[in-house]
Amino acid sequence: MTFTIPIDNGDAVKNAEADSQRTLYPYVTGTSIVAIKYKDGVLMASDMGGSYGSTLRYKNIERVKAIGKHSLLGASGEISDFQEILRYLDELVLNDNMWDDGNSFGPKEVHNYLTRVMYNRRNKFNPLWNTLVLGGVKNGESYLGMVSMIGVSFEDNHVATGFGNHLARPILRDEWRADLSFEEGVKLLEKCMRVLLYRDRSAINKLQIAKITEEGVTVSQPYSLKTFWEFQAFHNPTAGAQGSW
Amino acid sequence: MDLNLDAPHSMGTTIIGVTYNGGVVLGADSRTSTGMYVANRASDKITQLTDNVYVCRSGSAADSQVVSDYVRYFLHQHTIQLGQPATVKVSANLIRMLAYNNKNMLQTGLIVGGWDKYEGGKIYGIPLGGTVVEQPFAIGGSGSSYLYGFFDQAWKENMTKEEAEQLVVKAVSLAIARDGASGGVVRTVIINSEGVTRNFYPGDKLQLWHEELEPQNSLLDILNAAGPEPMAM
């Protein structure tokens, strides 16, 4: 009588399946988000681009969305993961509404939920490839925070993701004040977005600025910024040095 | 998303060379990147080799600069020996020599264009590896991927100088709209029997393409101009 020794190929099969489910690298990505607290609430700016590698493939992607009545979520990184997060949040808000108890999720709660989601995915080596910015106002208190794809989470008066970390933060550190008016806040964000437009390869010239106050959320219409190219030095940069850049 | 400031300077680039009846038009964007950072937003990628021959550079900024420096040097000596302006063909061959014999080390694609009295306006494309191809028009750089269809449809023989330049500006502008590695201003150089003309088309003077919007000073201008509710009849 013979009996066959079972060869356990289960691991190989399981690993192959597990690998095929993991996000290894992003495909369609959004670039920086820049956000500030101001006098009446929070302002958040983003461009409307979805890059596919180095191709500027999609030019009408809204990367800032209202969540419930009190929050604004901006995302950079993989757009499909952002869309999945919006679905999770839809479900969260739906369940919250079903309680019908007069309470509704504020930005603190949403930020906490997102932190848990992002960190737990990171622990499973299957991250949502985004850096999220969560801003909002509830009961007169402004809130602004961010969560990265590895679950790093914090609050601040001004935040920026992606290239904004390097190019916008220094400007904000220098020029942000707690009592900025709406006009000053918009001008400050536009200053940051213009630098990003000049210096970030994945930026496009089409942006939206979203505002959240106690009254609610407004997302501006898409618009473009004027850019400046008339420095004398730009006209004939190699006149004195043929062959340089 | 990494800045990677140690990445080599690379001109992602869109470069174009086009012949017309009487000469050539060379065009390029002005973006030089280090990884994802735009190191120079107003570079000049159309480099002079002689009075009548210019070259459009793409790929590694360092490699293309050093190759064009050597060729400028050789052509200078050649012109003195010959006693008259060098031809476009000779210029292209010198580039080819360097590109081919150093093919393992160089990463640069070039488009040589100029005018000489023997053959008139000529364009030579010299891609990676050192092949030389004489063409009525040539496109190169990462942005050129987006222009093959465009040129298949829009290119015509015997264009006028104005038509040729407009075609080049339009093409570079279209490539800039879709290639993250191209951007900034459009520079053109027109070479014919009368001499050389350099032109400069800043980003805000170019035509708007699909899903691009008219530039504004600020959102505040739009909000203040809005007046009645946008949806009101």
Side-chain angles (χ1 to χ4, degrees), chain A residues 55 57 59 190 199 238, chain B residues 38 44 146 177-178 187 219:
Chain A
T55 306
R57 191 161 178 185
K59 299 194 177 183
E190 285 177 343
R199 296 293 176 177
T238 57
Chain B
V38 178
D44 183 5
Y146 307 92
R178 289 296 183 175
R187 295 194 195 275
L219 176 66

Side-chain angles (χ1 to χ4, degrees), chain B residues 33-100:
Chain B
S33 12
T34 326
M36 288 299 273
Y37 177 66
V38 178
N40 187 349
R41 64 176 169 112
S43 338
D44 183 5
K45 304 181 188 180
I46 311 178
T47 301
Q48 186 184 24
L49 295 177
T50 69
D51 288 341
N52 55 316
V53 181
Y54 280 65
V55 62
C56 295
R57 302 181 291 111
S58 78
S60 158
D63 288 352
S64 65
Q65 280 178 11
V66 87
V67 166
S68 66
D69 283 349
Y70 268 118
V71 172
R72 188 178 315 111
Y73 167 62
F74 295 146
L75 282 173
H76 185 217
Q77 296 188 317
H78 172 66
T79 306
I80 292 170
Q81 272 193 316
L82 200 62
Q84 59 182 36
T87 60
V88 191
K89 188 179 270 185
V90 164
S91 312
N93 195 45
L94 284 169
I95 299 255
R96 181 205 68 84
M97 248 177 47
L98 289 174
Y100 178 75

